[in-house]
Amino acid sequence: MPKIIVEVMPKEVLLDPAGKSVMNALHRKGHSASKKSDITAVRIGKRIELHFDREITDKDLADAREIGESFLSNGVIEDVVKISSEN
Amino acid sequence: MPKIIVEVMPKEVLLDPAGKSVMNALHRKGHSASKKSDITAVRIGKRIELHFDREITDKDLADAREIGESFLSNGVIEDVVKISSEN
Amino acid sequence: MKIGVVTFPGTLDDRDAARAVRLAGGEAVSLWHADTNLHKVDAVVLPGGFSYGDYLRCGAIAAQAPVMESIIKAANGGLPVLGICNGFQVLVESHLLPGGLIRNEHQHFICRDQKLIVESNTTAWTNEFELNQEITIPLKNGEGGYIATDETLKRLEGEGLITFRYKEVNPNGSMNDIAGLRNERGNVVGLMPHPEHAVEPGFGPDTTVAMRSGVDGLKFFTSVINSLVNA
Amino acid sequence: MGLFGKKKIASGVDTTTEAANTPDKVQPYAALGLKDDEYARIREILGRRPSSSELAMYSVMWSEHCSYKSSKIYLRQFGEKVTPEMNKNLMVGMGENAGVVDIGEGWAVTFKVESHNHPSYIEPFQGAATGVGGIVRDILTMGARPIAVMDQLRFGEPSNPDTARVVHGVVDGISFYGNCLGLPNIGGETVFDKVYQGNPLVNALSVGALRHEDLKLAKASNPGDLVILFGARTGADGIGGVSVLASETFDSTGPAKRPAVQVGDPFAEKVLIECCLELYAAQVVAGIQDLGGAGISCATSELASNGGAGMRVQLQDVLKRDESLTPEEILMSESQERMMGIVPKKDFKKFKAIVDKWEVEFSVIGEVIAEDRLYINWGHEEIVNVPPRTVAHDGPVYERPVAFPSYQDALNNDSVHAHGLFRQNDNASELAAQLVQIVSSPNQADKGYITNQYDRYVGGNTALAQPDDSGMIRVSEETGLGISLATDANGRYCYLDPYQGARLALAEAYRNVAVSGATPVAVTNCLNFGSPENPEVMWQFKQATAGLADGCLELGIPVTGGNVSFYNQTGDVAIHPTPVVGVLGVIDDVARRIPSGWQDAGHNIYLLGTTKDELDGSVWSEVVHSHLGGRPPVVDLAYEKQLAEALNAASEQGLLASAHDLSEAGLAQAVVESVLRFGMGARIWLDEIQQRDGVDRTCALFSESTGRVLVSVGREDDVKFVGLCEARGIPVLRIGVTDNSGELEIQDVATWQLNDLRGAHEATLPELFG
Ligand SMILES: Nc1ncnc2c1ncn2[C@@H]1O[C@H](COP(=O)(O)OP(=O)(O)O)[C@@H](O)[C@H]1O
Ligand SMILES: [Mg+2]
């Protein structure tokens, strides 16, 4: 199904307690034991899919960026890091 | 910074209340007015970044898949839809 | 004195907020999210809850509701607006107050009787408090961690816009222990704790005098009535 | 080949005509959980083989969960062992979605507890969340505004790594759903025991209030009324989640692999609550039913059967989330947050205006008809044509074999004494260490780690909540009229003696309500047991239900409803029988409710009741000695009743500064909780208890004798209070005094700083799960 994918991440300079807690859990668990400590940070954002029942146009992508920046993310604390489409 | 990106989405057949509520909001707002109704569904998942302070290896990717499936996602209600890396 | 209490779908504490208004001697007027009409109210309370399920970001969808267009306009014109918990999140998402609110640091919802320090008593909603008064107000939230850039924090501190700070326990990892903020003008105040749950003896937080007898929250509502009377 | 495989889809649905024409077609009824004779009965009822849709309906509705086929014969006694006096205030009794009790002043209250055990093990978060959602809809269906929730939880051993997964998921799920609904959580239970390792129990209770005239019933009786499905769309989630029907019965060549989990949307439910209450106020629904287990199958057949009418339904008019759903799946889907309303045609416009206002989706899917027949069509094809009663109410009834457990006598003989655990003249430092060990053990430790994740304030009517003995909610803001609720179950006691165990649970919940100042008036239950196919489990069930019914008769309060959860076991090993008993109390003015802890210095502390040598099945035997054997404490319900009446009288006269019941871990636990509640110190002496009751210090501290309450009384009320107890034949003994020392001193045992005790009591759960 055609879709646009908008990816949103917490701003780099701000805290991401959810990411931090996942990282701590990973380290505690000793996940991927050998190199657990190689993961220096975990950050958790959103992947938002907008589904269409038709092909996606350039205009859709532009609109998605607009929606992404004005509504799907909060520019004070988040960034839209990627917008892509799959047909 | 080198990172692996794990993308997790709610299973297609399950209710995604967050996606539903965002879609309703988009439709209400008449966002991207002309084609608001062209968005047939919204689904919201997670984008999880694992940061490294070194280059990412194939082994890291395999580990990330394992962590992604066993820990970062809940296989009963979610799927890992993509694992990628940026160096 | 007519004080509007907004109901969004998913708002939970609207009836409590209306009760608080009445106990303070005001008249509570119910405002509906889909209606831009503010019914000539003298002040507005955005109560707590999970507007629209709070699914995207807390308060984000509510901030786009028709009633908010009117409230933002009126707030910029000086109408007293109090945002409680989800209401605070709506104010932040509407850019009436700076910064953002994210998931609590410990990742859990938390409900507790919270001590606060009142750091500004020159707002419409806090003028009956003493400066630096310690009050106890119930707090209950899952996403109450206040964050802002260093620059914003510096400005908030410098301009005295931090209105409430957590005392003893920072329950959600808020930066600089911030529990609540005001705008420059002092008509808009937002905070995570719930003053409307500390207005009636028997149903508020515990005090050293008696179980559930804390009524520190009532002053928010008498403050605004007071400031309107004296305006 | 699965039941609803591709071939059938391609060649169209299995219609009733097709069913009549192909009598010999092999149907996978066994995979759907139906026995040979049950399938034969369906054929007999219909005079032909069922269509696949009919088979789906019968199979879910005749499942243990929906039909109560193994428990029915025992549940009857809750309706039989009653006096007219007991039913005087009962507006709706057992059998409806929830019982309704008249509490006076034109108000009524409805309450019920239900299990969501199995889903909560598979997917703890969603399982627990949808458990809350389901019970709240039951309450809403009665015409009530839901006003509070409670949760009764049983987890495995805290040290087992899987326990944290379940605890986190379940607590987060309850917190997420309940908080988002705006319902204060006013209490519950949290127990850890290895018997629940592979089978945690997640029970949820909801209570609602309504004006008498707003009572709604789940029935469709007026021909011509519209059948309207509203709320969330129907999706593929939760298909078969409730019944024995498992997802494997849909093979991989079928429409899709359907998950058995359901995903909850508390926001949708909150909107649905407000929407329904507005519909009720506008008087536009003639009947209403929530969709829970068995989805549309249940709602259509029950509404029609209850109303003595029938229904014609067009299944293609159901709003779907997923267009690939087959009719059978639509009938069985357990998608959450849906309701079925019966709306007179003349009221449809008003109905539509209200649901539109709340942006709730709906579709008219049928009409009530006079003939008592349920017809369901899929387009032009008739896929169901059944007498609704046969689906909803005439399910099979079993009298399962019952056997006295082979282990039972040995278990009962293995008492604390027989085991040599009991020693006279225990030394002080040992007792002191045991006390700390007990109050910091996971089951006795402070539950704040869990309960602080729940909103107890929302609504502004919470008069008591955790950690108090009962939860209390104001119903009328004008008069202060309110209700009190407590639930209890002790699986260890029930394992030792299910008959007594059930009565003990009843007595404790009853006492917990009484100590709050309220008068107990009604009972609900959630009976969690192992497999009914095991005769020893069935014996436990038989004993427990008899104990509960007899107990209610003795106390003079009726059972208004409940829920049975069987098959709680891992492999062949059943959980301890765990009948959760909830007691509802009424209080004329919540302003006079009694705190559970000490708040003023210089008050006298009295122990009501006597202490016996009763340590079998106790916390002391478990925590200190890892032992379980013997017989549980005796319970004297006539005396419990007297005690409750005495407390009530004392409360009405304003004599009590606090009251806290003694239960698990006895006096030691109650004293520690009472000092920590508000941080008030106390000095306690045991010698008079020992002398009067002829027990040693271990018993004085840890015995779990029933009928005991710890109260504190201001000096000025002393004489009056003691007089009141003596006049009513309640043993009363002054055992201590409160003070501002910041310490707890139990004379001749030890003195603790309250801060140290608090640390020990509160740190346990955060350390384990934080
Ligand atoms: N899962 C839970 N949810 C809500 N409240 C709980 C839960 N577990 C325990 N509580 C509350 O914690 C307090 C202590 O529980 P407990 O020791 O079991 O009480 P009691 O012995 O009086 O039955 C009570 O107020 C009870 O309602
Ligand atoms: Mg108790």
Side-chain angles (χ1 to χ4, degrees):
Chain A
M1 172 193 337
K3 56 185 150 204
I4 297 180
I5 300 154
V6 179
E7 294 171 58
V8 174
M9 293 301 291
K11 274 195 193 303
E12 292 272 351
V13 294
L14 292 176
L15 295 175
D16 172 17
K20 203 172 92 188
S21 106
V22 167
M23 183 169 80
N24 292 344
L26 280 179
H27 284 194
R28 246 194 332 268
K29 288 209 163 212
H31 255 294
S32 60
S34 59
K35 8 147 267 30
K36 59 177 178 179
S37 56
D38 291 0
I39 297 180
T40 53
V42 176
R43 294 189 78 79
I44 301 187
K46 296 194 194 89
R47 174 189 149 109
I48 301 159
E49 293 184 356
L50 310 175
H51 293 195
F52 290 75
D53 54 8
R54 55 160 179 76
E55 288 241 322
I56 288 162
T57 64
D58 283 354
K59 166 90 168 53
D60 294 332
L61 278 167
D63 286 342
R65 172 159 304 279
E66 198 272 315
I67 300 172
E69 273 159 14
S70 69
F71 176 59
L72 299 178
S73 71
N74 172 355
V76 178
I77 54 174
E78 296 170 322
D79 293 315
V80 175
V81 295
K82 193 169 159 196
I83 295 191
S84 54
S85 67
E86 278 175 23
N87 261 313
Chain B
M1 169 195 339
K3 57 184 151 207
I4 298 181
I5 300 154
V6 179
E7 294 170 58
V8 174
M9 294 300 291
K11 277 196 195 298
E12 290 271 351
V13 293
L14 292 178
L15 178 67
D16 172 14
K20 193 177 86 184
S21 126
V22 168
M23 183 172 79
N24 291 343
L26 285 177
H27 285 192
R28 246 191 332 264
K29 267 302 249 191
H31 253 295
S32 57
S34 59
K35 10 148 263 40
K36 58 175 177 180
S37 55
D38 291 1
I39 297 180
T40 53
V42 176
R43 294 192 77 81
I44 301 188
K46 293 194 204 93
R47 176 188 149 110
I48 302 154
E49 293 185 356
L50 309 174
H51 293 195
F52 289 76
D53 53 7
R54 56 162 179 74
E55 287 240 325
I56 287 164
T57 65
D58 284 353
K59 167 92 170 54
D60 293 332
L61 278 167
D63 286 342
R65 172 159 304 278
E66 198 273 313
I67 299 172
E69 273 159 15
S70 69
F71 178 63
L72 299 177
S73 72
N74 173 353
V76 181
I77 54 173
E78 295 171 323
D79 294 315
V80 175
V81 295
K82 192 168 160 197
I83 294 192
S84 55
S85 66
E86 278 175 23
N87 261 310
Chain C
M1 218 45 70
K2 288 166 67 175
I3 301 183
V5 176
V6 180
T7 300
F8 300 101
T11 293
L12 306 178
D13 298 308
D14 44 352
R15 297 193 300 158
D16 305 58
R19 184 192 294 117
V21 166
R22 285 196 304 274
L23 289 170
E27 180 195 343
V29 177
S30 159
L31 301 178
W32 184 241
H33 72 109
D35 191 352
T36 50
N37 188 343
L38 298 187
H39 299 280
K40 302 210 171 69
V41 294
D42 304 298
V44 166
V45 179
L46 296 168
F50 293 76
S51 52
Y52 299 95
D54 271 355
Y55 284 124
L56 179 64
R57 287 179 315 279
C58 296
I61 300 178
Q64 315 262 338
V67 75
M68 284 309 297
E69 279 169 37
S70 310
I71 290 174
I72 293 169
K73 211 178 294 159
N76 288 328
L79 183 81
V81 177
L82 175 68
I84 302 170
C85 194
N86 195 224
F88 184 21
Q89 293 160 341
V90 174
L91 291 176
V92 165
E93 284 286 342
S94 307
H95 306 299
L96 284 170
L97 293 171
L101 290 150
I102 59 170
R103 185 102 191 123
N104 295 345
E105 193 173 15
H106 48 74
Q107 307 294 305
H108 292 300
F109 186 97
I110 177 138
C111 177
R112 69 190 309 274
D113 295 351
Q114 177 68 46
K115 285 186 185 158
L116 303 176
I117 299 293
V118 182
E119 297 210 347
S120 168
N121 64 348
T122 55
T123 79
W125 300 93
T126 59
N127 56 62
E128 296 213 325
F129 291 111
E130 306 291 320
L131 195 60
N132 296 323
Q133 187 177 336
E134 179 189 306
I135 59 176
T136 302
I137 303 287
L139 168 133
K140 41 172 220 188
N141 63 62
E143 310 206 7
Y146 183 77
I147 56 167
T149 57
D150 286 347
E151 193 187 338
T152 304
L153 283 175
K154 230 174 264 158
R155 183 171 70 84
L156 291 172
E157 295 282 1
E159 296 177 12
L161 300 181
I162 295 167
T163 312
F164 302 99
R165 243 187 267 264
Y166 296 119
K167 188 180 176 205
E168 285 172 15
V169 172
N170 179 335
N172 44 28
S174 281
M175 287 177 145
N176 294 24
D177 297 332
I178 291 171
L181 299 176
R182 54 174 285 181
N183 64 356
E184 290 79 355
R185 194 163 170 173
N187 62 314
V188 177
V189 171
L191 77 165
M192 286 315 296
H194 287 255
E196 82 284 13
H197 290 324
V199 294
E200 192 182 8
F203 304 92
D206 289 339
T207 70
T208 51
V209 180
M211 176 173 67
R212 293 175 194 273
S213 61
V215 292
D216 289 342
L218 199 56
K219 286 219 162 86
F220 284 74
F221 304 93
T222 51
S223 285
V224 75
I225 291 172
N226 188 33
S227 73
L228 289 166
V229 169
N230 297 333
Chain D
M1 188 65 198
L3 173 57
F4 313 125
K6 261 217 175 92
K7 252 195 239 137
K8 201 170 298 146
I9 304 296
S11 64
V13 294
D14 186 28
T15 63
T16 50
T17 318
E18 168 123 1
N21 292 339
T22 55
D24 301 330
K25 188 175 154 45
V26 178
Q27 294 191 284
Y29 62 87
L32 289 167
L34 289 167
K35 299 277 183 294
D36 292 345
D37 56 333
E38 292 172 344
Y39 179 65
R41 248 198 79 207
I42 296 168
R43 294 189 69 123
E44 188 187 310
I45 289 167
L46 299 177
R48 57 171 163 79
R49 76 158 173 91
S51 70
S52 60
S53 294
E54 289 166 339
L55 185 63
M57 285 183 88
Y58 279 105
S59 71
V60 282
M61 289 301 289
W62 286 14
S63 70
E64 184 66 58
H65 182 92
C66 295
S67 74
Y68 290 86
K69 56 187 166 193
S70 304
S71 55
K72 234 178 203 166
I73 60 165
Y74 299 104
L75 300 182
R76 277 188 199 130
Q77 57 190 321
F78 295 134
E80 290 161 4
K81 293 179 179 170
V82 288
T83 60
E85 176 68 15
M86 282 164 74
N87 282 343
K88 183 175 83 206
N89 294 323
L90 203 56
M91 294 172 61
V92 174
M94 292 202 327
E96 284 290 333
N97 285 300
V100 180
V101 181
D102 177 1
I103 63 162
E105 300 179 16
W107 284 101
V109 160
T110 175
F111 73 126
K112 189 178 175 190
V113 55
E114 226 171 47
S115 66
H116 227 218
N117 303 339
H118 299 112
S120 300
Y121 183 60
I122 299 169
E123 171 32 37
F125 181 91
Q126 293 295 346
T130 54
V132 174
I135 189 65
V136 167
R137 282 194 302 282
D138 267 330
I139 296 306
L140 178 63
T141 301
M142 301 309 296
R145 173 178 279 283
I147 54 174
V149 294
M150 297 173 95
D151 56 313
Q152 296 73 27
L153 312 178
R154 302 288 184 286
F155 301 113
E157 200 91 71
S159 56
N160 186 305
D162 192 48
T163 302
R165 170 190 75 98
V166 180
V167 170
H168 286 146
V170 165
V171 174
D172 279 357
I174 293 169
S175 159
F176 164 72
Y177 207 104
N179 294 344
C180 191
L181 275 190
L183 295 177
N185 186 307
I186 58 169
E189 302 164 48
T190 307
V191 174
F192 300 90
D193 191 308
K194 60 178 180 310
V195 298
Y196 305 108
Q197 196 66 55
N199 202 118
L201 303 184
V202 176
N203 294 179
L205 178 150
S206 181
V207 55
L210 64 155
R211 301 296 299 168
H212 286 179
E213 60 274 17
D214 294 336
L215 181 66
K216 290 281 171 301
L217 294 176
K219 58 176 190 181
S221 29
N222 300 319
D225 284 2
L226 302 172
V227 178
I228 304 183
L229 188 61
F230 62 109
R233 286 177 171 241
T234 299
D237 46 341
I239 289 181
V242 79
S243 66
V244 286
L245 183 86
S247 54
E248 312 70 269
T249 54
F250 300 94
D251 71 5
S252 49
T253 62
K257 187 91 177 157
R258 304 305 199 190
V261 287
Q262 308 143 28
V263 172
D265 179 356
F267 165 65
E269 178 131 320
K270 166 66 180 169
V271 171
L272 202 55
I273 291 173
E274 298 303 332
C275 175
C276 282
L277 291 170
E278 211 167 310
L279 291 171
Y280 299 162
Q283 306 199 331
V284 296
V285 289
I288 187 152
Q289 171 74 302
D290 61 299
L291 277 81
I296 295 175
S297 296
C298 178
T300 51
S301 61
E302 286 196 353
L303 281 162
S305 176
N306 290 344
M311 225 180 246
R312 224 175 250 295
V313 170
Q314 174 51 266
L315 209 55
Q316 284 185 340
D317 288 341
V318 169
L319 296 177
K320 296 179 284 293
R321 265 196 351 254
D322 171 353
E323 289 304 324
S324 77
L325 288 180
T326 66
E328 296 87 349
E329 290 174 320
I330 295 170
L331 283 169
M332 283 190 291
S333 164
E334 290 173 6
S335 289
Q336 300 288 297
E337 294 96 20
R338 297 180 297 162
M339 298 289 271
M340 188 172 284
I342 304 299
V343 178
K345 280 201 180 106
K346 66 173 173 46
D347 294 322
F348 177 71
K349 259 209 181 117
K350 277 199 246 165
F351 175 92
K352 181 169 167 9
I354 293 169
V355 290
D356 284 349
K357 171 186 166 190
W358 288 99
E359 297 177 24
V360 167
E361 286 192 296
F362 74 94
S363 65
V364 177
I365 63 164
E367 204 175 290
V368 180
I369 57 173
E371 184 191 359
D372 71 341
R373 200 90 192 162
L374 175 59
Y375 298 101
I376 300 181
N377 268 44
W378 181 253
H380 295 299
E381 316 266 28
E382 182 184 88
I383 55 172
V384 172
N385 177 343
V386 298
R389 214 191 143 73
T390 62
V391 180
H393 293 113
D394 295 340
V397 175
Y398 288 164
E399 193 169 347
R400 302 250 191 215
V402 164
F404 182 76
S406 55
Y407 56 79
Q408 195 70 35
D409 284 333
L411 180 69
N412 290 142
N413 289 334
D414 181 31
S415 69
V416 157
H417 282 286
H419 212 84
L421 299 180
F422 197 72
R423 290 179 302 142
Q424 303 291 330
N425 308 322
D426 19 33
N427 76 53
S429 66
E430 196 174 316
L431 285 174
Q434 289 180 355
L435 181 143
V436 173
Q437 188 188 355
I438 283 172
V439 301
S440 58
S441 67
N443 287 339
Q444 301 311 118
D446 178 66
K447 303 301 187 307
Y449 166 75
I450 291 172
T451 59
N452 290 342
Q453 297 185 44
Y454 304 151
D455 182 352
R456 58 181 177 273
Y457 277 105
V458 63
N461 290 312
T462 308
L464 290 174
Q466 47 275 14
D468 295 318
D469 289 304
S470 75
M472 188 180 284
I473 292 279
R474 173 174 62 179
V475 172
S476 165
E477 288 199 36
E478 284 72 45
T479 65
L481 175 71
I483 54 150
S484 157
L485 264 168
T487 70
D488 271 294
N490 185 319
R492 286 165 54 85
Y493 289 169
C494 289
Y495 183 60
L496 298 180
D497 183 343
Y499 182 88
Q500 286 301 340
R503 288 158 56 88
L504 281 157
L506 172 66
E508 193 187 336
Y510 184 89
R511 208 180 318 118
N512 277 326
V513 164
V515 295
S516 71
T519 305
V521 295
V523 175
T524 186
N525 64 66
C526 187
L527 308 174
N528 304 278
F529 285 77
S531 166
E533 294 164 38
N534 175 343
E536 297 187 342
V537 168
M538 229 33 234
W539 176 82
Q540 293 175 328
F541 188 79
K542 179 181 172 196
Q543 292 297 103
T545 45
L548 183 56
D550 291 347
C552 288
L553 186 60
E554 278 180 66
L555 288 172
I557 53 176
V559 173
T560 65
N563 178 245
V564 177
S565 172
F566 278 130
Y567 298 102
N568 292 292
Q569 52 184 57
T570 312
D572 286 340
V573 185
I575 60 162
H576 287 164
T578 312
V580 168
V581 180
V583 171
L584 173 81
V586 178
I587 184 166
D588 52 358
D589 186 357
V590 298
R592 71 167 173 85
R593 81 241 180 288
I594 309 170
S596 71
W598 302 325
Q599 205 164 13
D600 301 290
H603 282 192
N604 282 327
I605 299 167
Y606 288 94
L607 178 63
L608 307 185
T610 53
T611 304
K612 301 182 195 66
D613 177 352
E614 293 183 308
L615 286 164
D616 290 354
S618 68
V619 168
W620 176 84
S621 72
E622 178 188 25
V623 172
V624 180
H625 300 289
S626 307
H627 175 260
L628 176 58
R631 293 194 177 277
V634 295
V635 54
D636 176 351
L637 293 170
Y639 164 76
E640 294 282 354
K641 203 170 163 185
Q642 258 175 289
L643 178 65
E645 284 163 6
L647 287 165
N648 202 279
S651 159
E652 272 172 354
Q653 296 174 35
L655 304 179
L656 299 176
S658 77
H660 189 27
D661 90 299
L662 268 61
S663 57
E664 294 189 327
L667 181 65
Q669 180 80 19
V671 163
V672 169
E673 287 173 355
S674 296
V675 288
L676 294 182
R677 180 69 179 87
F678 301 106
M680 177 61 48
R683 189 155 46 85
I684 303 287
W685 46 89
L686 304 176
D687 44 354
E688 289 171 44
I689 302 175
Q690 294 176 247
Q691 279 156 27
R692 185 192 64 181
D693 297 342
V695 292
D696 72 356
R697 281 189 297 180
T698 302
C699 280
L701 280 172
F702 303 119
S703 165
E704 297 183 4
S705 295
T706 59
R708 295 181 304 160
V709 173
L710 198 56
V711 303
S712 64
V713 177
R715 288 260 152 88
E716 64 284 5
D717 295 322
D718 237 26
V719 177
K720 239 176 138 181
F721 175 72
V722 173
L724 184 149
C725 291
E726 284 171 349
R728 289 168 176 267
I730 305 295
V732 53
L733 189 64
R734 193 167 83 100
I735 63 159
V737 58
T738 58
D739 60 37
N740 274 320
S741 62
E743 294 176 348
L744 169 64
E745 179 190 353
I746 298 182
Q747 278 182 7
D748 305 322
V749 177
T751 300
W752 295 270
Q753 295 297 313
L754 295 192
N755 285 339
D756 295 340
L757 269 186
R758 188 180 298 286
H761 189 51
E762 292 180 0
T764 309
L765 294 193
E767 269 168 20
L768 284 166
F769 303 109

